[in-house]
Amino acid sequence: VNLATTLPYLDEEERNILVALDEDQSVHVFPDTPVARSLVHTNAGNIFLHHLDKDGLHVCGFGLEVPTEAREVGMVARALELWKLPIAAGGERITALGTQVGSESSYSPARVLGDRSILHKYLNPNLLAFGTEKTEGEST
């Protein structure tokens, strides 16, 4: 397993759904039930994952694709690499990584402005923040 993460969906027994990616970028669902598989198939276009390599030198982003033959052969989905951010070129490595937890909500989702209009806060559920540190030739 290269990557495992929970999804913001619940199955029929109110259990969180976990997806795991293997070396071939195949997606596995836990618990492996028809409802869980159906939720992943239905929402595949809205599911995005990220992976930090072991050395902290780059971050990859993945989206899910459900091939047309997936349901027939028992496959859930396949992960496609959408982006890759190399950090090694600048002599840095990633030391901290943070994401928004799917079940978190904003304390105040809107703010009333002086003209009585409402400004809605927008929190991107796919936001990824990371910190780096310089590894070569530090001069500070």
Side-chain angles (χ1 to χ4, degrees):
V1 174
N2 283 343
L3 169 67
T5 188
T6 57
L7 297 179
Y9 311 114
L10 300 175
D11 70 359
E12 70 277 7
E13 296 179 19
E14 300 293 318
R15 297 178 293 192
N16 287 326
I17 297 174
L18 176 87
V19 292
L21 269 60
D22 63 15
E23 297 82 25
D24 300 327
Q25 307 304 349
S26 293
V27 176
H28 304 276
V29 178
F30 302 97
D32 193 5
T33 62
V35 172
R37 285 174 167 260
S38 177
L39 281 168
V40 172
H41 284 167
T42 303
N43 297 294
N46 296 320
I47 298 173
F48 299 97
L49 311 167
H50 66 277
H51 181 261
L52 173 64
D53 75 342
K54 295 176 195 170
D55 300 323
L57 300 179
H58 67 271
V59 179
C60 300
F62 298 93
L64 298 189
E65 171 192 57
V66 180
T68 53
E69 72 278 359
R71 293 178 194 253
E72 298 166 7
V73 297
M75 174 192 263
V76 176
R78 180 177 30 241
L80 298 174
E81 187 175 298
L82 301 176
W83 55 268
K84 187 174 189 175
L85 179 64
I87 301 297
E92 296 183 35
R93 67 183 182 91
I94 299 171
T95 57
L97 189 68
T99 61
Q100 177 182 351
V101 178
S103 60
E104 265 184 9
S105 60
S106 176
Y107 173 69
S108 176
R111 175 175 289 166
V112 178
L113 300 177
D115 63 356
R116 294 184 170 242
S117 64
I118 297 175
L119 174 65
H120 294 277
K121 293 182 180 177
Y122 175 73
L123 299 177
N124 186 343
N126 300 315
L127 182 67
L128 175 68
F130 58 90
T132 64
E133 86 178 351
K134 195 163 183 81
T135 57
E136 300 173 2
E138 292 187 46
S139 62
T140 54

